[in-house]
Amino acid sequence: MTEPLLSMRDVSVTYHGSGGAVPAVRRVSLDLERGGSLGLAGESGCGKSTLANSILRLLPPDAVVEGQIVLDGKDVLSLRPGGLRAARWTAGAIVFQGALHALNPVQTVGRQIAEPMLIHGTVPDEEAAERRTVELLGRVGLPAARADSYPHQLSGGQRQRVLIAMALACEPMLLIADEPTTALDLMVQAQVLRLLEELKEEHDLTLLFITHDLSVLTYACRDLAVMYAGRIVEDGPSWEVFGGPAHPYTKGLAAAFPTIGDPSSRMAPSGLGGDPPMPGSLPVGCPFNPRCPYATEACLEAEPELRIAGTDRRAACILV
Ligand code: SF4
């Protein structure tokens, strides 16, 4: 078996703010093989973005990361600043949601795409950086003239394309896309998803895609991991997980989308009632028990570990 590009073992992330310790991610283990695609799903506050940001150590200083994260053979948590700088953009790059906030408002987008190439020395000089910027803009469907635009002069979809071009600038092996389509309308969302799919094939990228939208992940990723209360509660091949969820939380997520052609389901989708727990005050036993329609007394005894739920499938529920 070849070594995975990304391997995470027992990764926990705890924020130590003024309100005390908040465990945002708890003992997560996952592997992502080279050229593979993994979708991380779950509601807001379940730890997806915190987990993704821990891979390139992009978390705020009050976050403590434990466990092991190996990216392209390097132990990320023990990298020194120079090694970390080299790993960012080249081993892994990230596309954030909300491109308007992720881009510098007082610099042209062309300059911002060229900057990582010049800093990392992937191009010999400014002229080559400009050429490559135009090439990247073309690849994400933007005309060369857009290089001279400032972020506020572009539409939401164009800004998201700029972020993707920027992430590809140093030809990373791993592309982390954190809710890249959430702020976009449906048409633009479909275009950006198609673009990511094409780029993945062209550049042989490994993709880690994060969103609360299971249907988007099923389209974009071969494998799926569902997070709840900071832990993975189900994982497996996307179509199988989406088509036949084993964990009650995944069932709720899958059912929480309106049915096309049924306007009543738009206003009241079946699926999940209530909210996810606050990371600092998790319920006793299975953290999903207050919202779970199948909960019994036995669910209060201990938090279930992941169990085999089929070929290449696992789920953390006592009913599995
Ligand atoms: Fe529901 Fe119990 Fe399974 Fe948790 S362990 S998901 S509460 S049935």
Side-chain angles (χ1 to χ4, degrees):
M1 250 177 83
T2 53
E3 199 180 80
L5 176 65
L6 173 69
S7 169
M8 305 180 92
R9 287 287 165 272
D10 284 323
V11 174
S12 296
V13 182
T14 308
Y15 292 105
H16 293 271
S18 54
V22 176
V25 170
R26 301 177 301 126
R27 305 193 319 278
V28 167
S29 296
L30 58 84
D31 286 330
L32 181 47
E33 65 192 51
R34 289 169 198 270
S37 53
L38 174 70
L40 271 185
E43 295 163 286
S44 296
C46 286
K48 311 181 298 293
S49 294
T50 295
L51 183 67
N53 285 330
S54 71
I55 297 167
L56 295 173
R57 282 176 44 194
L58 295 171
L59 294 166
D62 68 348
V64 173
V65 185
E66 293 162 290
Q68 190 183 47
I69 302 173
V70 177
L71 176 59
D72 190 31
K74 296 192 180 65
D75 183 348
V76 173
L77 299 183
S78 61
L79 282 178
R80 292 174 177 275
L84 185 60
R85 214 169 28 244
R88 289 176 181 162
W89 296 99
T90 51
I94 189 162
V95 178
F96 293 102
Q97 63 171 308
L100 190 58
H101 306 294
L103 291 166
N104 184 342
V106 295
Q107 227 177 29
T108 62
V109 296
R111 191 70 215 155
Q112 293 181 64
I113 295 171
E115 193 174 273
M117 295 186 260
L118 291 166
I119 290 175
H120 285 271
T122 58
V123 287
D125 51 33
E126 295 253 356
E127 222 173 280
E130 269 174 38
R131 276 200 304 276
R132 172 104 176 109
T133 298
V134 167
E135 201 181 292
L136 284 164
L137 283 174
R139 190 55 205 93
V140 298
L142 293 174
R146 281 300 180 204
D148 297 326
S149 301
Y150 289 87
H152 73 275
Q153 295 173 313
L154 304 178
S155 69
Q158 288 174 326
R159 284 194 291 266
Q160 206 62 38
R161 286 167 189 267
V162 167
L163 274 193
I164 294 171
M166 198 190 294
L168 294 177
C170 297
E171 301 189 15
M173 288 175 273
L174 173 68
L175 183 70
I176 303 169
D178 186 0
E179 306 259 13
T181 58
T182 304
L184 307 175
D185 64 54
L186 274 182
M187 295 296 285
V188 183
Q189 179 172 317
Q191 289 166 5
V192 171
L193 282 176
R194 213 159 26 242
L195 174 65
L196 280 172
E197 194 185 12
E198 287 166 12
L199 293 172
K200 182 182 173 327
E201 290 309 312
E202 254 170 54
H203 298 261
D204 200 19
L205 284 168
T206 305
L207 182 66
L208 181 65
F209 198 112
I210 297 151
T211 178
H212 60 276
D213 189 334
L214 270 192
S215 56
V216 166
L217 289 184
T218 308
Y219 173 85
C221 300
R222 189 170 61 206
D223 297 305
L224 193 62
V226 180
M227 288 189 76
Y228 188 75
R231 295 195 72 189
I232 290 178
V233 294
E234 178 159 8
D235 60 13
S238 300
W239 281 103
E240 288 181 34
V241 173
F242 188 62
H247 194 285
Y249 176 60
T250 317
K251 279 185 194 157
L253 268 190
F257 292 94
T259 310
I260 293 171
D262 176 9
S264 62
S265 71
R266 185 176 172 79
M267 300 312 292
S270 58
L272 288 162
D275 296 307
M278 298 300 288
S281 52
L282 297 178
V284 174
C286 172
F288 189 54
N289 80 72
R291 305 170 77 190
C292 180
Y294 310 100
T296 63
E297 286 289 310
C299 304
L300 303 176
E301 283 170 17
E303 184 167 3
E305 295 296 327
L306 283 165
R307 304 158 175 219
I308 303 294
T311 311
D312 294 330
R313 291 189 59 181
R314 300 180 305 169
C317 170
I318 61 168
L319 300 181
V320 172

